[in-house]
Amino acid sequence: MHQQKQNQKTLGPALAASGIYLALAAFFLFRVPAVSDPTGFGVLRDKLTILESASSPKIIFVGGSNLLFGIDGMTLYKRLGYDVVNMGLCFNFRLPFMLAQIKEHVRRGDIVVISPEYQIMAKPLYIGGICADGSDLSMPFIAMTVHQNPQLIPMIIISSVREPAHLAPFLHEIFVCLRAKAKYIFDNPDCIASNSWNRNQPRVWIYDIDPFGDLRAHLRQPNHGTLGDALAPPPGKSDPRAIALLNDFNNYCKSRDARCYLIPAPLPQEIYQRESAHYERLCKIWREKLNFPVLGTCRQFTYPQTMFHLARYHLHAEGRRLRTESIAELLAQQLKGDPSSKLAASKQSIK
């Protein structure tokens, strides 16, 4: 009896402390606007608007930040004659989420180019810290995003805690988000009164995408050719669930008279050379297991490290230009023999 009373005395303060913590967390996460947007959550609403306004037949690029940083939609539009929509986000969003965003917008004659980071193909279902990053945005922004894309929040939360091993990194991302916001307020105490959040923050990508969905901010930043993840280990084996997911998506596209292609993500030449056998083995599996074409080779999309911006998948201006030219050529080869393509129609009109 005495032990039970003692436990009740301990439980009360613990619950009170937990309540205070949750109240503070809710304030920092939802009342204080964003400090940063490391996963590109903030551009999702704008990209969906671009996707909805594009006319068919169009080319939709799906993948992580290798696309966000690494293609030039204007050049592809001029070369191929199709509306181009770059739906590249961050590889943390993972395949189920990325494909779900575009599925209902696939129309007859559309071309879907999937360019997944190698880690996506190794862990197709894990989303990680996206929910934490999303909560770093202001509540009105979250409300507008969810209104336009209702499945967003439940899909993110479910994917973030799908397996017990995912819970710890998810909670860690929430903690990092809270700490960053608290530090910003501590360093800038007048921001609460003046509502001047983020005015001097390095907002890398929010509201800085062009009409094709391409990121522009990094093109104005100096490129030092250093990679923060240069020594990161290569991705694991290709997950059969990723192959099955892509094959099912291709079947869906075919049912809507659209087509899919996969193009390898870019890699620094130094990283590719160090683990070339591993990357080529992954590409070989894709060619054998996927029920739609893989265009180009892993080696074809490798570039000097000086052409990358801070991370292994993020191309700077020159690398972006070279990769776009390669993609345009590969797609043109697929389209030139198709009499229903816009490319063939434009050539016929010239004749």
Side-chain angles (χ1 to χ4, degrees):
M1 189 69 174
H2 174 74
Q3 183 64 38
Q4 186 177 359
K5 289 183 177 180
Q6 187 67 30
N7 290 341
Q8 290 176 348
K9 288 182 179 179
T10 306
L11 181 61
L15 290 175
S18 299
I20 293 172
Y21 171 78
L22 291 174
L24 288 173
F27 172 78
F28 280 113
L29 286 174
F30 298 119
R31 296 301 300 170
V32 178
V35 172
S36 63
D37 186 28
T39 60
F41 189 104
V43 301
L44 177 58
R45 185 167 55 98
D46 296 331
K47 283 179 174 278
L48 287 170
T49 299
I50 294 171
L51 179 60
E52 290 169 355
S53 63
S55 61
S56 291
K58 58 185 175 290
I59 303 176
I60 309 172
F61 286 86
V62 184
S65 55
N66 84 85
L67 291 174
L68 181 64
F69 282 81
I71 62 172
D72 181 355
M74 175 63 81
T75 296
L76 292 168
Y77 170 72
K78 290 178 178 178
R79 287 280 302 274
L80 302 173
Y82 286 73
D83 278 5
V84 175
V85 182
N86 181 354
M87 286 298 293
L89 294 166
C90 168
F91 81 87
N92 279 331
F93 277 101
R94 303 298 164 163
L95 278 174
F97 183 86
M98 293 178 181
L99 298 178
Q101 300 315 294
I102 71 163
K103 198 169 185 179
E104 65 182 68
H105 300 286
V106 175
R107 303 282 186 268
R108 182 176 184 178
D110 285 355
I111 299 168
V112 179
V113 178
I114 304 170
S115 183
E117 283 79 1
Y118 293 93
Q119 284 88 341
I120 290 181
M121 297 297 285
K123 295 180 179 179
L125 303 180
Y126 172 49
I127 288 186
I130 297 297
C131 187
D133 183 40
S135 65
D136 186 32
L137 300 169
S138 64
M139 182 57 78
F141 190 96
I142 293 174
M144 287 187 292
T145 303
V146 174
H147 176 73
Q148 185 171 1
N149 192 16
Q151 82 275 27
L152 177 66
I153 294 299
M155 181 180 292
I156 287 175
I157 293 176
I158 292 170
S159 298
S160 293
V161 296
R162 184 185 295 271
E163 299 175 14
H166 297 168
L167 185 58
F170 168 68
L171 294 176
H172 173 72
E173 293 291 339
I174 291 286
F175 172 75
V176 170
C177 172
L178 287 170
R179 184 176 61 187
K181 290 198 169 193
K183 183 178 185 305
Y184 181 75
I185 292 176
F186 181 80
D187 293 341
N188 304 272
D190 62 327
C191 66
I192 296 178
S194 63
N195 194 29
S196 60
W197 329 98
N198 306 317
R199 188 163 294 169
N200 299 314
Q201 291 292 313
R203 304 299 291 278
V204 177
W205 37 36
I206 284 185
Y207 308 127
D208 197 21
I209 56 174
D210 67 15
F212 299 93
D214 304 329
L215 179 68
R216 298 175 298 191
H218 68 301
L219 302 177
R220 299 190 296 269
Q221 298 175 8
N223 185 38
H224 304 294
T226 57
L227 305 182
D229 58 350
L231 299 179
K237 297 179 180 178
S238 190
D239 192 321
R241 293 176 297 181
I243 300 293
L245 187 68
L246 290 177
N247 284 340
D248 287 344
F249 181 77
N250 179 56
N251 291 336
Y252 170 82
C253 289
K254 287 170 66 177
S255 73
R256 309 198 80 174
D257 292 324
R259 70 183 91 177
C260 289
Y261 299 105
L262 186 141
I263 291 180
L267 281 173
Q269 291 171 349
E270 296 84 345
I271 291 177
Y272 172 80
Q273 290 167 2
R274 191 171 66 220
E275 301 286 349
S276 60
H278 181 81
Y279 288 109
E280 290 299 336
R281 185 164 58 250
L282 290 177
C283 283
K284 184 173 183 288
I285 291 173
W286 301 345
R287 293 181 188 280
E288 293 173 350
K289 303 294 185 180
L290 290 174
N291 60 7
F292 58 95
V294 177
L295 305 183
T297 65
C298 295
R299 180 188 291 274
Q300 181 177 353
F301 289 101
T302 62
Y303 307 92
Q305 182 171 312
T306 54
M307 293 186 183
F308 287 80
H309 180 72
L310 301 180
R312 65 173 60 190
Y313 293 122
H314 299 172
L315 287 168
H316 209 265
E318 181 62 11
R320 179 178 182 256
R321 183 187 67 80
L322 292 174
R323 185 193 187 199
T324 298
E325 289 181 356
S326 295
I327 291 174
E329 183 60 32
L330 289 169
L331 289 176
Q333 291 174 7
Q334 298 296 316
L335 297 173
K336 66 182 180 181
D338 182 357
S340 65
S341 73
K342 283 190 174 182
L343 186 64
S346 63
K347 289 184 176 180
Q348 187 67 30
S349 65
I350 292 174
K351 291 179 181 180

